[in-house]
Amino acid sequence: MYSRLITSAQTVREDIKEYLRRSPYSHAARIANALLIHTNTNDEDVNVLEVQQLIDSLKAAGKKFEYTDLRERTGRPPLQSHDTKMAKESRREVYRFLDSYLHPTMR
């Protein structure tokens, strides 16, 4: 987990209440829309443990969501590499997910 809070000089241990206030898993029960989660064990921005906490919170709250774990990928984060096979497959998954919920009027 992040050792320092963003925009804070304090560590998580020094201000756990602020960390919980900002953490998505603290708000999982309030999610009203469908959710698609992509995670990666080598993500430098979001620790996989934080994603697992969010998933556990969503399950406990009975929320509808989909989850893809892009485990143990090396190199650049997979979705930042726009031309890779995995990035293209991930985008197709996002488009499929959005298509199942969004129904824009064709003009």
Side-chain angles (χ1 to χ4, degrees):
M1 296 201 200
Y2 292 130
S3 62
R4 294 213 174 268
L5 294 170
I6 297 173
T7 69
S8 174
Q10 294 180 305
T11 67
V12 172
R13 285 195 171 104
E14 292 167 341
D15 195 353
I16 191 70
K17 287 173 77 174
E18 180 64 12
Y19 174 78
L20 291 173
R21 185 186 72 78
R22 294 178 182 201
S23 179
Y25 77 86
S26 296
H27 305 283
R30 295 185 358 211
I31 291 177
N33 298 318
L35 182 64
L36 173 63
I37 301 169
H38 281 186
T39 188
N40 187 333
T41 54
N42 72 348
D43 191 316
E44 294 175 3
D45 295 320
V46 180
N47 188 293
V48 70
L49 296 175
E50 291 180 279
V51 177
Q52 191 58 54
Q53 287 176 326
L54 175 59
I55 289 167
D56 293 345
S57 296
L58 291 165
K59 287 179 180 177
K63 298 298 179 175
K64 185 174 183 176
F65 69 98
E66 293 182 34
Y67 168 62
T68 298
D69 185 349
L70 308 169
R71 288 218 174 253
E72 303 298 334
R73 307 295 188 206
T74 59
R76 295 179 65 196
L79 300 181
Q80 288 182 5
S81 303
H82 299 290
D83 58 345
T84 66
K85 180 181 177 185
M86 183 175 46
K88 290 175 183 176
E89 289 171 0
S90 293
R91 283 193 301 277
R92 277 194 290 276
E93 182 180 3
V94 169
Y95 299 151
R96 178 206 48 82
F97 178 83
L98 291 173
D99 188 53
S100 68
Y101 290 97
L102 303 177
H103 305 287
T105 303
M106 300 302 283
R107 294 180 192 214

